[in-house]
Amino acid sequence: MKLLTWTNIRLLLMIFVVIFLFSFTSHRNAVRKIAKTEVVFVGENSLFLKPETVNKLLIEKNEDLKTINKDGLDLNKLEKTVSSHPMVHKADVFVSVDGVLKAVVEQKQPLGRVFEETGSFYLDYEGNKMPLSDNFAARVPLVSGEIAAVKKEKLAEVLRNIAEDDFLKKNIIGVQILSNGSMVMANRNYDYQIDFGRTINIERKFKNYKAFFQKAVSDSTLEKYRRINLKFTKQVVCIK
């Protein structure tokens, strides 16, 4: 009975010590001052954003970091603020154990560039508008014409197929959208136009074009053509 009682007492003491240490550590962590901010960009995209731009979003109301306690930060709010930037795809904001306010940022990926009378902008991976950057210019196809005639999801799918294929990325430099939703594409090194048609059977059409190009290069016939029609999925029609 005495042994059992002493065991219980030791257990209670251990629980008390753990609670005390946890409370002490939590309090010290909460009142810890923010030492600095750090911005980390992830992914293979070039830096369209400067770290200084993200830093400004992290510092609420331009307060001096030395006056900010860790528990005084609304990390969810800061994360939403950074993520809402038009060049940011998503962001993760947290404070490290040594008091560094960190933002891990994934930028949006531009797939095409649009020129309009009101200005110019990129189209990102999901087909949404993305502003141009003063820091870097992306080499992507120029998109022109009646953009509203194609659903943004379908336009993004076409541009993704170009961006994710080494050959197409180097070969296709322009996408013109007609009022009926059909697309006409321009290539880098030859004068012919590519009649892509509507945004259906996208992967099949690009596969046909790549097969045609490889065959035409080996036959030295590419310079003879004015138009390459990909509208028919089972064949490529060429016009001289």
Side-chain angles (χ1 to χ4, degrees), residues 141 161-163 165-173 206-207 209-210:
N161 272 269
I162 295 174
D165 185 281
D166 288 339
F167 167 76
L168 295 176
K169 182 166 57 176
K170 296 176 181 177
N171 187 269
I172 306 297
I173 60 172
F206 278 130
K207 184 177 181 180
Y209 174 64
K210 290 165 66 177

Side-chain angles (χ1 to χ4, degrees), residues 103-152:
V104 180
V105 179
E106 181 181 347
Q107 299 175 103
K108 290 183 178 179
Q109 179 181 351
L111 299 181
R113 181 169 179 174
V114 177
F115 285 94
E116 292 183 339
E117 293 182 358
T118 56
S120 179
F121 55 89
Y122 292 123
L123 293 174
D124 69 12
Y125 202 81
E126 298 174 346
N128 298 317
K129 289 184 178 182
M130 173 183 171
L132 302 183
S133 170
D134 295 330
N135 201 37
F136 184 82
R139 297 184 63 182
V140 292
L142 302 180
V143 182
S144 60
E146 304 293 330
I147 298 176
V150 177
K151 292 182 178 180
K152 72 172 187 177

Side-chain angles (χ1 to χ4, degrees), residues 5-21:
T5 301
W6 178 240
T7 301
N8 290 339
I9 292 174
R10 286 196 301 175
L11 181 60
L12 289 173
L13 286 173
M14 291 176 62
I15 293 174
F16 175 78
V17 171
V18 170
I19 293 175
F20 173 78
L21 290 176

Side-chain angles (χ1 to χ4, degrees), residues 27-83:
H27 175 71
R28 289 194 61 184
N29 190 46
V31 299
R32 182 189 294 273
K33 303 296 184 181
I34 300 300
K36 63 177 181 178
T37 61
E38 182 178 333
V39 179
V40 179
F41 291 102
V42 296
E44 298 180 356
N45 292 346
S46 299
L47 292 183
F48 299 98
L49 272 177
K50 293 182 179 179
E52 293 81 3
T53 303
V54 180
N55 270 327
K56 290 181 180 179
L57 298 174
L58 291 175
I59 303 174
E60 298 178 300
K61 301 178 182 178
N62 296 318
E63 292 184 78
D64 186 353
L65 283 175
K66 295 180 180 179
T67 67
I68 304 176
N69 291 340
K70 183 177 177 180
D71 64 343
L73 288 175
D74 187 341
L75 294 178
N76 287 331
K77 181 180 178 182
L78 288 176
E79 196 167 279
K80 289 179 180 178
T81 299
V82 177
S83 297

